[in-house]
Amino acid sequence: MKKFVLIGAVAVLFVAGLGISRLIAGPALDPGPQAAPIKPSAVELASVVASDANQMGFNLFAEVNKNAKGNIFFSPASISMALGMTYNGAAGETAAGMAKAMSLGKLAPADTSSGNSALLDMLTKADPKVELNIVNGIWVDNRCKVLPTFIDTNKAAYGAEIANMDLTTPAAAKPINEWIAKGTKDKIKDLLKPDDFNPYTRMVLANAVYFKSPWAYPFEEAMTKDGDFTLLDGTTKKVPMMTQTEYYKYLENEKVQMIALPYGENNRLQMNVILPKATVKAEDVPTLFTLDNWNKWNATEQKNSRVKLQLPRIKMRYEQSLNDALISMGMEDAFSMRADFNKMTGEKDLFISVVRHQATLDVDEKGTEATAATAVVMEFKSMPPAPQYNMIVNRPFFVVINDSQTGAILFMGLVKDPQA
């Protein structure tokens, strides 16, 4: 069922079962001479930016899946917040490209920041038995002059910690990685690489997310037995399969089975397990995972059903540079010499050199621990460095000794064994 609430010139669409709202331009009503326009509430803005981040997440999944050979696991919230801080410094076509890649609607950057601020507050207070920490940080090179408005906006909206340091040497990776490790309980220790830093590095914007929660209905360890897990190529391997019989929200259609496993005390946070039917071809499995299908599955009534669930323990780590995916999604300018981040420094002197992401997932009988970290590295625009070539003389080669002025060759030959 869909409900529309008309507020001045803005309509808020609530889709039952999704918990997502979207601001939609609507016909203006005459408010009368005394009425002031009503701005969307913080909760409504949070729902909009969450919806935007979800859309970006599914688009990003489709991009990284094109070349993925193994697991895919990432945090749309982490990536969206790291890019959101960066977006506050973008202008012109760079800002437009970032908005496209981030699936931002028509919200002004200030409203996007306000929505993320509200979302941060709502998520971290979701459940007293769920540990969910989200932190943001910005490191500025000592040589870089940053506009106070850029810093103030990110401190207010994202609670960003600000630090000044030398970012121009490989040693800069260590303190930032230590900050990320602290924010992820040492699950992610090496997001940034030493060679991400060079004499032109000017800024790093990072986000870290830590989630840990017990199941609302824990699995009994004594029930866990090894079972066969079929890989996409048709081969099987033995994995520990947890077993639980309980009442869960459950959905089944011709393509998938879907179950919601609640966490903590109030069941607000949950893990959704979506299992494609055995009749779905292996090559078609990733194509089922779209925002349209996700919304459709959630909009369908999920009845509390008694389910005997067998779920493998999960322990995995995912690491990816997101440059290529984000460029394909519309952010080409941000990674190029055309980049316009004048809202950061007052000049068009910075571009994004790399966006790195790592995520981990551990699922066992007691609950779930998941972490993610995203870092955006900004560099100073300069003349491109001279290319470096490698020449390893480890096979027969020619030698010519000549006079460069007259061209006269004094010696020449073919060296087949330099120690003969």
Side-chain angles (χ1 to χ4, degrees), residues 82-359:
L83 290 177
M85 291 191 294
T86 311
Y87 177 66
N88 282 330
E93 291 301 314
T94 300
M98 291 191 71
K100 179 181 178 182
M102 296 167 65
S103 299
L104 299 182
K106 295 183 179 180
L107 288 182
D111 284 336
T112 298
S113 292
S114 296
N116 273 310
S117 178
L119 184 62
L120 269 168
D121 185 64
M122 293 167 66
L123 288 175
T124 54
K125 297 177 180 177
D127 191 311
K129 287 192 175 180
V130 174
E131 186 176 1
L132 178 55
N133 298 320
I134 304 173
V135 292
N136 296 293
I138 300 176
W139 292 260
V140 182
D141 183 72
N142 296 327
R143 301 159 186 78
C144 186
K145 294 182 180 180
V146 183
L147 296 176
T149 51
F150 174 75
I151 294 297
D152 292 344
T153 296
N154 283 319
K155 285 174 70 174
Y158 295 89
E161 302 172 39
I162 312 297
N164 290 90
M165 61 180 288
D166 182 0
L167 295 175
T168 62
T169 70
K174 186 174 184 290
I176 302 176
N177 281 338
E178 288 175 347
W179 180 89
I180 292 169
K182 181 179 178 182
T184 59
K185 301 288 184 76
D186 285 334
K187 287 288 186 176
I188 297 176
K189 300 180 180 180
D190 57 354
L191 176 66
L192 289 167
K193 315 304 176 189
D195 59 6
D196 287 333
F197 298 85
N198 60 57
Y200 303 108
T201 308
R202 292 295 182 268
M203 191 182 303
V204 176
L205 306 96
N207 167 277
V209 179
Y210 180 83
F211 172 91
K212 186 174 184 179
S213 176
W215 298 117
Y217 312 114
F219 292 76
E220 292 184 22
E221 292 188 34
M223 296 291 290
T224 300
K225 308 292 182 185
D226 282 350
D228 287 333
F229 187 90
T230 303
L231 306 176
L232 282 177
D233 64 5
T235 61
T236 61
K237 64 180 297 185
K238 294 289 185 183
V239 299
M241 298 290 288
M242 306 182 298
T243 301
Q244 171 82 283
T245 302
E246 189 55 76
Y247 282 89
Y248 293 109
K249 288 183 179 178
Y250 177 78
L251 167 71
E252 183 170 350
N253 58 36
E254 70 280 2
K255 296 289 186 180
V256 300
Q257 293 173 277
M258 177 173 167
I259 193 169
L261 309 180
Y263 291 111
E265 181 176 289
N266 58 30
N267 294 4
R268 172 176 158 181
L269 297 171
Q270 58 190 20
M271 173 186 281
N272 295 276
V273 178
I274 302 159
L275 177 66
K277 293 286 187 71
T279 54
V280 177
K281 295 179 180 178
E283 60 269 24
D284 294 334
V285 167
T287 65
L288 289 174
F289 200 48
T290 66
L291 182 63
D292 284 345
N293 279 340
W294 170 251
N295 288 342
K296 181 171 65 176
W297 296 331
N298 276 279
T300 303
E301 182 181 3
Q302 299 176 35
K303 298 180 179 179
N304 280 322
S305 304
R306 183 174 172 84
V307 181
K308 180 180 180 181
L309 173 67
Q310 290 184 285
L311 177 71
R313 286 184 194 151
I314 305 170
K315 189 175 184 66
M316 66 184 192
R317 180 186 188 90
Y318 180 78
E319 180 176 357
Q320 186 74 35
S321 165
L322 301 179
N323 289 27
D324 291 343
L326 292 172
I327 288 171
S328 296
M329 291 164 64
M331 267 181 63
E332 183 176 357
D333 273 19
F335 291 92
S336 74
M337 293 298 112
R338 300 187 302 274
D340 182 356
F341 287 101
N342 75 72
K343 291 183 179 180
M344 284 185 181
T345 63
E347 305 288 342
K348 299 180 182 180
D349 56 351
L350 300 180
F351 72 102
I352 298 175
S353 59
V354 66
V355 178
R356 293 201 181 279
H357 186 74
Q358 278 191 35

